[in-house]
């Protein structure tokens, strides 16, 4: 079941208060709960919903051994010790998912079981997911268009600089008795203010280039050094920040080598170097299922999905539902911890089928919602097509401007060689 997906697990010991002893086992973090399982019998001793946790603290048993305590509603306290790889690493990951669940909508935090969904609701959900994916793609495309506009402005400034260089070379090539020499030497004075305006214009563009920001748990090389931070997705790359918003590393889009998706909640980012160690970060986040589709759009040739997702993509799908389904959609999200519906029993199957036949496939309300979503999808598709055509024209203009600039630079180089 999707609700039983294990995000992370650690070897540890649990303190049995009744028997006054520590029991070795494994602590598992699920999307909406914590679970402790013993090593010998495989018995589940503790199953805590994250929504029922009041406090998570780092303490020490007998003032010596480090441990994590989890305070549940009703003042029930649970002790977990001998945590590997380290107490701080386990604490940071559990606290991150717990805090993100507290910040989620009240219905998700309370773990309310939803009513069974109809075909119309499932279809509406699929269309809404497609709309979100298209909106994310349009956002990335919009930022890409802004980058092309910025490149075109830089080329225009370069063209004006080449005009200034042409006038200066003309002055140098003219004889000393030429009467108009004093006017030509005064033209380069305007170069300095243009630099400040270009810097001022580039700062807002950098801020607008942010596609998404998510809180995350960051680790580099080893699992021992795990700390809270932030992952920022830009049009031009990725940025890793710590909890103080200090930039740890920036992965440029061209320099980034691969992004490996280990689970719907965990990815690793790597940049290779020659002659020195690679730069690699491991990122864990409760909001990672919302970001992986963006990463797939941004870095589709560099992202490596798990085997089950790759098989689903390579074999294709026979229906629209299977085509839109992916492995991160199958993972339960913290904002909607739902339970999977069970199949009806054999005795109730006939009545269930008869009830489904009597009810219409789509209600009037669901039809209106689908109509609104399809209208928005049509508008987004038309806007995307218009933006793509505009960017094609911009690319043609950039290509022509680069060719002109290259010819002008070559001509100026030949004139400089003649002067020297």
């Amino acid at each position: 079941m999707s609700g039983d997906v294990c995000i992370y697990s650690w070897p540890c010991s649990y303190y049995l208060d009744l028997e006054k002893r520590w029991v070795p086992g494994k602590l598992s973090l699920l999307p909406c709960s914590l679970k402790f399982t013993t090593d010998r019998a495989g018995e589940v001793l503790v199953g805590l919903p994250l929504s029922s946790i009041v406090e998570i603290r780092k303490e020490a048993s007998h003032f010596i051994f480090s441990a994590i305590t989890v305070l549940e509603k009703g003042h029930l306290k649970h002790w977990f010790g001998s945590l590997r790889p380290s107490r701080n690493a386990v604490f940071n990951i559990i606290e991150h998912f717990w805090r993100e669940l507290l910040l989620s909508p009240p219905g998700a935090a309370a773990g309310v079981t939803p009513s069974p969904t109809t075909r119309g609701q499932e279809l509406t959900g699929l269309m809404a997911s497609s709309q979100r994916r298209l909106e994310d793609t349009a956002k990335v495309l919009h930022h890409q268009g802004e980058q092309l506009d910025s490149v075109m402005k830089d080329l225009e400034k370069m063209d004006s600089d080449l005009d200034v260089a042409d006038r200066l070379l003309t002055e140098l090539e003219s004889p000393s008795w030429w009467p108009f020499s004093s006017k030509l030497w005064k033209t380069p004075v305007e170069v300095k203010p243009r630099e400040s305006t270009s810097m001022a214009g580039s700062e807002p563009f950098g801020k607008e280039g942010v596609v998404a920001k998510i809180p995350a748990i960051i680790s580099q090389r080893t699992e021992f050094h795990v700390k809270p931070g932030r992952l920022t997705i830009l049009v031009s790359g990725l940025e890793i920040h710590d909890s103080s918003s200090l930039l740890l590393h920036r992965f440029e889009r061209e320099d980034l080598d691969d992004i490996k998706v280990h689970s719907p909640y965990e990815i690793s980012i790597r940049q290779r170097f020659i002659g020195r160690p690679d730069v690699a970060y491991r990122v864990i986040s409760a909001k990672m299922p919302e970001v992986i589709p963006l990463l797939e759009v941004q870095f589709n040739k560099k992202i490596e999905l798990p085997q089950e997702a790759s098989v689903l993509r390579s074999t294709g799908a026979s229906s629209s539902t299977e085509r839109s389904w992916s492995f991160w959609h199958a993972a339960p999200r913290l904002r909607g911890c739902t339970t999977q519906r069970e199949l009806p029993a054999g005795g109730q199957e006939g009545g269930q089928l008869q009830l489904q036949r009597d009810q219409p496939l789509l209600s009037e309300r669901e039809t209106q919602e689908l109509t609104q979503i399809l209208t928005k999808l049509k508008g987004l598709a038309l806007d995307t097509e218009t933006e793509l055509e505009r960017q094609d024209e911009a690319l043609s203009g950039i290509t022509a401007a680069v060719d002109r600039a290259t010819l002008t630079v070559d001509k100026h180089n030949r004139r400089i060689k003649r002067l020297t």
Side-chain angles (χ1 to χ4, degrees), residues 74-304:
H75 303 285
L76 183 60
K77 197 172 187 179
H78 304 273
W79 288 75
F80 301 95
S82 303
L83 293 157
R84 294 195 296 268
S86 67
R87 180 184 66 171
N88 291 335
V90 177
F91 176 81
N92 287 330
I93 295 176
I94 295 177
E95 186 188 38
H96 167 76
F97 280 86
W98 175 56
R99 288 184 180 276
E100 290 301 318
L101 182 64
L102 292 180
L103 295 174
S104 62
V112 178
T113 303
S115 58
T117 58
T118 62
R119 290 289 181 87
Q121 292 174 348
E122 292 177 359
L123 184 59
T124 304
L126 291 175
M127 297 301 294
S129 177
S130 301
Q131 179 184 346
R132 288 192 297 268
R133 179 70 66 87
L134 188 57
E135 288 175 350
D136 295 337
T137 306
K139 188 176 181 181
V140 174
L141 192 63
H142 174 69
H143 290 308
Q144 180 176 307
E146 291 180 345
Q147 281 189 327
L148 292 177
D149 294 339
S150 177
V151 170
M152 197 64 192
K153 291 179 181 178
D154 293 338
L155 286 173
E156 291 175 357
K157 294 175 182 177
M158 185 185 299
D159 187 56
S160 64
D161 291 340
L162 290 174
D163 290 339
V164 174
D166 180 67
R167 291 196 294 269
L168 293 175
L169 287 172
T170 303
E171 168 64 19
L172 292 174
E173 291 172 346
S174 62
S176 57
W177 48 266
W178 187 250
F180 305 104
S181 60
S182 59
K183 295 182 179 179
L184 290 172
W185 281 106
K186 293 181 181 180
T187 53
V189 179
E190 300 177 356
V191 174
K192 188 173 182 180
R194 186 176 62 250
E195 182 181 358
S196 62
T197 56
S198 65
M199 291 180 63
S202 63
E203 288 182 3
F205 175 75
K207 293 178 182 178
E208 293 175 359
V210 176
V211 179
K213 291 182 181 179
I214 59 169
I217 300 296
I218 311 297
S219 62
Q220 188 177 13
R221 295 191 182 93
T222 62
E223 296 181 352
F224 290 90
H225 305 289
V226 174
K227 54 186 177 181
R230 186 179 77 241
L231 173 65
T232 304
I233 303 176
L234 306 171
V235 176
S236 57
L238 300 174
E239 287 184 352
I240 305 291
H241 296 81
D242 61 5
S243 57
S244 302
S245 298
L246 179 65
L247 180 63
L248 300 178
H249 189 77
R250 178 185 174 92
F251 295 93
E252 295 293 341
R253 188 171 183 175
E254 297 78 12
D255 300 334
L256 192 148
D257 288 293
D258 58 71
I259 300 175
K260 187 174 182 180
V261 181
H262 302 280
S263 73
Y265 301 94
E266 182 179 5
I267 65 172
S268 60
I269 310 169
R270 182 173 59 174
Q271 180 180 356
R272 295 188 180 93
F273 291 95
I274 299 176
R276 60 191 182 100
D278 299 342
V279 176
Y281 283 89
R282 208 173 186 95
V283 183
I284 303 172
S285 177
K287 295 184 177 180
M288 193 64 72
E290 303 173 7
V291 171
I292 290 179
L294 294 177
L295 294 175
E296 191 177 8
V297 173
Q298 284 277 80
F299 309 95
N300 55 350
K301 295 182 180 179
K302 298 181 179 181
I303 190 167
E304 181 182 349

Side-chain angles (χ1 to χ4, degrees), residues 14-18 45-49 52-57 59 68-80:
Y14 176 72
Y15 184 71
L16 285 175
D17 194 18
L18 296 177
L45 294 182
V46 178
L48 295 175
S52 67
I53 295 177
V54 178
E55 186 182 23
I56 302 175
R57 297 181 59 184
E59 298 188 21
I68 291 177
T69 59
V70 178
L71 183 62
E72 194 180 2
K73 292 179 181 179
H75 303 285
L76 183 60
K77 197 172 187 179
H78 304 273
W79 288 75
F80 301 95

